[in-house]
Structures are given as C-alpha cells and as structure tokens.
Amino acid sequence: MDDPKAFLKMLFDSAVSYAQPADVLSGFMPRPPKGRTIVVGAGKASGAMAHAFDALWPADAPLEGLVVTRYGHTPPLAADARRRIAVVEAAHPVPDDAGLDAAQRMLALVQGLGADDLVICLISGGGSALLTLPADGMSFVQKQHVNQQLLDCGAGIVEMNCVRKHLSRIKGGRLALACAPAPLITLAISDVPGDDISVIASGPTVPDDTTCADALAVIRRYGIEVPSSIVAALEAGALETPKSGDPCFRANEVHLIATPQRSLEAAAAAARAAGIEAHILSDEIEGESREIGKMHAALARYIARDGTPLNRPCVLLSGGETTVTIRPRAPDAPKGKGGRAGEFCLGLAEALQGYPDIWALAADTDGIDGVEDNAGAFVTPDTVARAAAAGLKLSEHAARNDSHRYFQALDDLFVTGPTHTNVNDFRAILIL
C-alpha cells in the first residue's frame, strides 16, 4: 500500500459521513401537529441536526426552537436557508454561562404546552455538559467543579452521567417532565457504548432507572467533592429522577438516527471495497485509554507475527468511549495536553515498539480530541524511533497525559476540524 495514512483517513471519513444529520434525519421526520412544534436539543451534532430538521420541515408549517452545541460546531448555512431554530454555542466539556442560559431558555420554551402541540428533542453526545442546570441548592460554580472532577478521575460515561442526572434540573428525564402533556419525539445520535438512550446527553427526555443511591456511590467511589447539602439530599432521595412508568413519558417516542456500529460498518465496507479485509472488534469498548491501546497492540502484533486468527493484510476497527485518568505531574513539568484518542495512541505506540507493518489512527468522530485542535493521532512503524531521534521520551509524555505535544512534534496529529456529528471513538489498526 502506497499511503497507509491516507487509507486510514478514508476509513474515518467513511464512518463520519455515515452519521451526518443531513443524510440520516429524513427517514425520521414526523407529521406537523395541529398546534405548535417546538424543537429543543443539545450536543456536538445538535447544530447540524437543527439545520437539517429545519430544511426538511414544511416551509408553510410553524416551527420554533432552540438547541445548544459546542463552540465552533455550528455548520455554515446558505444565505437562503431557513433559520427557524436558534442555535447557540456553549462550552464543553466544562459548562459555562452560555450553556446555563440555554438550558433555562429551553425549559421556558416548553412551558404550558398541550396535547395538540409537539416537541422534538435533538440529542447527541456532549449534551451533558452543554445542557446544564444545577439542582436546587447547588451553585453553578459548584456544578462546574463536580463536572471537572468527573472528567479527571477516570469514571466511565455511565457513572459520570448518573451523577450529572441527579445534580440537574433538566437531565435525567426532567426535560420530558417539563414538556408534558405535549407529545415528545427524541431523535438521537448515539455516542455511548450500547446505545443506551438514557446515557446519551444524560437522557433529558427519557426515564432514568439509576437512583440517588447510585449517584452517591459514584461520588464516594472516586472521592468527588460535592456540597454537604447535596450529599444530604442524595441520601434522603430528594434529588430522584423520573422513572419508567411515569405519566410524563406516556406520549414519548425515541429514535436512534445514527450509531457507532453503523459508522464502523460503513468504514468496514470502505476498507473491503479497497481490497483490505476489515474486522469490527466492538463498538462499545470502555476502559483506560492507554491500557486499551496496549490491548489493541497485543492483538495486532499477534496477527502480524503469525497471521492468526486473522489473515493479513487487514484492518481492525473499534469504537466505544474510553477514559483518561489525569495523573499527578512534577511541579516543573508542563501541563499535559490531549484527549482519549491521543492517550490510546501513546499506549499503542509504547506496546508496539516499532513493530513493522502496523499503522493506526485513533480519533474522536466529532473532530476534537478532548479540548485541543486535533481529532486524534496516527501511529506508524517508526513512531517511537522518530520520537527518540527528536529527543522525545514517550514515558515522560505519558506520565503527564501529554499526547498532543508528543504527536505534534512528529507531525502525526490528525486534524479535521468539527465534523458536525458525534458517534464517539474511532480506531483503525492496519496490519500489512
């Protein structure tokens, strides 16, 4: 193969293209109701979802609404495009005042609706941070602090969102509670392992079967600092979320319009069309990013060495949502930069140690790895050798969670800009 990097990029592009709202939303459009139609939503793809929905909705049918997406993730609109749904931008992964204001406006927008009205909720990954409204008795600053701790401690997405739901006035089914008795249709792009709709964006419109006790257990497991009054409220069950069977969900529908598995299948089809056999390991891999990288490396080495259990050339594809535990660093060490994909690549490169004929790409399908400007990074057979020649020590970068600077120095960052969708982690390992 002349250009393994270009091949891996083509697979990523195929996966992302399959999850574009403009291409997948048309099959899920409802009929206009007798009354008002209001669109709300949150997530990294919600801007693109709102634009697509507005374009597909009849021009003569009333439509209004508001969604919130991450800064820089609103796709451009043609000059003659309809703009009936407001798209606002806010901070991710730690919420800011813009997200707080958007959540308050959404709750106000759905007040007083009736059975002849219709609410559409456009949800995608990232909505948990973007749709923020602290529980009673908790300040916004305190909520931001809890959110940052959850990001740094290595908690899985299900654990994180369990806490977020119970410390919110809009997540965990509470948005549905505010919309009732109006019918509510949730259209979601999944970014979570197993496509659990109650976890995507912390499930603002669906029942939450986790409990205050579950949230408290996560808080104690990871030593998360929360106000004592919130601990007391959780212990008393005062912050419980709406559960299955609650009347507020009686007129609700939920549709997954794009999922990680479908995107991995699109990448696999593109690889096979290029003459490379593709194998999807899983769309719901979780765990510490660096350790998952080492596990992938062990499988790739085995295939490269023995041609078993899979024949080479081939590509291994996987998705899911790994985590990064932020490690303490030396006082004189620079603060690390990078996200889950970069951490995976550090672990992969460390374990491969220059094994020949193995190339890899790990990237976040929203185009942003953590809070940096790259989607992810490439690993090549000479990654470690080139780094050593440049005076870079992988162990030092790993110790301070500094994948961005490591791969930037090698010119191996993968930069796409916002993709306007989000089906979470994408990993492709090419074995030639």
Side-chain angles (χ1 to χ4, degrees):
M1 180 176 292
D2 293 335
D3 194 342
K5 281 188 175 181
F7 173 78
L8 293 169
K9 179 182 181 299
M10 182 271 291
L11 299 186
F12 175 88
D13 291 342
S14 298
V16 168
S17 294
Y18 201 79
Q20 286 299 325
D23 296 325
V24 297
L25 195 58
S26 60
F28 299 91
M29 296 296 292
R31 295 177 179 273
K34 293 180 181 179
R36 300 166 65 192
T37 301
I38 296 177
V39 175
V40 293
K44 298 171 188 175
S46 65
M49 294 172 81
H51 288 175
F53 191 94
D54 202 343
L56 291 166
W57 194 250
D60 58 352
L63 184 67
E64 57 187 308
L66 168 71
V67 301
V68 56
T69 192
R70 185 176 183 166
Y71 288 121
H73 283 244
T74 305
L77 268 178
D80 59 347
R82 296 193 287 267
R83 302 167 189 264
R84 295 174 288 184
I85 305 169
V87 179
V88 300
E89 298 183 342
H92 180 281
V94 178
D96 66 358
D97 288 337
L100 176 65
D101 178 68
Q104 292 170 330
R105 289 170 60 188
M106 278 185 215
L107 281 187
L109 195 58
V110 300
Q111 295 300 310
L113 298 179
D116 288 336
D117 301 313
L118 175 65
V119 179
I120 306 294
C121 187
L122 306 176
I123 287 294
S124 63
S128 292
L130 294 164
L131 196 64
T132 184
L133 199 57
D136 290 333
M138 188 176 201
S139 74
F140 185 52
V141 171
Q142 290 169 333
K143 185 69 178 287
Q144 289 174 310
H145 181 53
V146 168
N147 202 75
Q148 185 65 66
Q149 292 177 83
L150 288 169
L151 292 168
D152 292 347
C153 73
I157 188 61
V158 174
E159 295 173 310
M160 292 173 64
N161 285 0
C162 173
V163 174
R164 287 165 162 167
K165 285 187 275 192
H166 287 86
L167 302 187
S168 172
R169 283 184 283 137
I170 194 168
K171 293 192 274 281
R174 292 188 176 95
L175 179 56
L177 197 61
C179 293
L184 171 63
I185 299 175
T186 300
L187 303 176
I189 294 178
S190 173
D191 73 321
V192 301
D195 303 329
D196 185 344
I197 190 66
S198 71
V199 179
I200 303 169
S202 294
T205 59
V206 296
D208 173 38
D209 291 331
T210 68
T211 65
C212 285
D214 294 329
L216 196 57
V218 174
I219 288 169
R220 288 171 171 160
R221 183 178 307 131
Y222 293 99
I224 306 298
E225 296 177 3
V226 298
S228 58
S229 60
I230 295 298
V231 172
L234 289 171
E235 290 175 336
L239 299 179
E240 205 51 89
T241 48
K243 307 301 179 190
S244 299
D246 191 296
C248 73
F249 301 115
R250 194 169 293 155
N252 287 12
E253 296 179 23
V254 176
H255 302 282
L256 287 171
I257 67 172
T259 66
Q261 177 65 22
R262 294 174 201 163
S263 285
L264 290 175
E265 289 169 356
R272 291 167 188 145
I276 301 293
E277 189 53 48
H279 305 276
I280 298 174
L281 302 181
S282 174
D283 69 337
E284 51 181 299
I285 293 177
E286 298 180 85
E288 190 70 24
S289 294
R290 203 178 305 171
E291 299 306 312
I292 298 299
K294 294 176 183 178
M295 178 272 290
H296 279 66
L299 179 57
R301 287 198 314 268
Y302 186 47
I303 295 169
R305 186 190 69 205
D306 296 341
T308 184
L310 306 173
N311 294 323
R312 52 192 289 194
C314 66
V315 63
L316 309 179
L317 301 170
S318 68
E321 182 159 6
T322 58
T323 54
V324 176
T325 301
I326 302 300
R327 294 160 171 79
R329 57 188 172 89
D332 58 340
K335 184 178 180 181
K337 297 173 62 179
R340 299 191 307 264
E343 284 274 322
F344 172 91
C345 289
L346 283 179
L348 184 73
E350 180 183 10
L352 287 175
Q353 285 296 317
Y355 205 97
D357 300 325
I358 299 177
W359 302 70
L361 168 63
D364 196 316
T365 53
D366 71 352
I368 304 295
D369 186 25
V371 296
E372 305 307 330
D373 58 357
N374 64 308
F378 291 99
V379 174
T380 70
D382 61 352
T383 289
V384 174
R386 287 187 290 121
L392 302 173
K393 292 185 178 180
L394 190 152
S395 59
E396 292 181 356
H397 284 262
R400 60 176 185 262
N401 302 105
D402 200 13
S403 61
H404 186 278
R405 290 189 181 92
Y406 185 83
F407 290 104
Q408 183 180 47
L410 302 176
D411 197 27
D412 278 340
L413 291 179
F414 178 54
V415 180
T416 65
T419 64
H420 308 124
T421 190
N422 181 20
V423 284
N424 232 318
D425 299 345
F426 173 88
R427 294 175 289 268
I429 300 177
L430 175 63
I431 306 163
L432 295 174

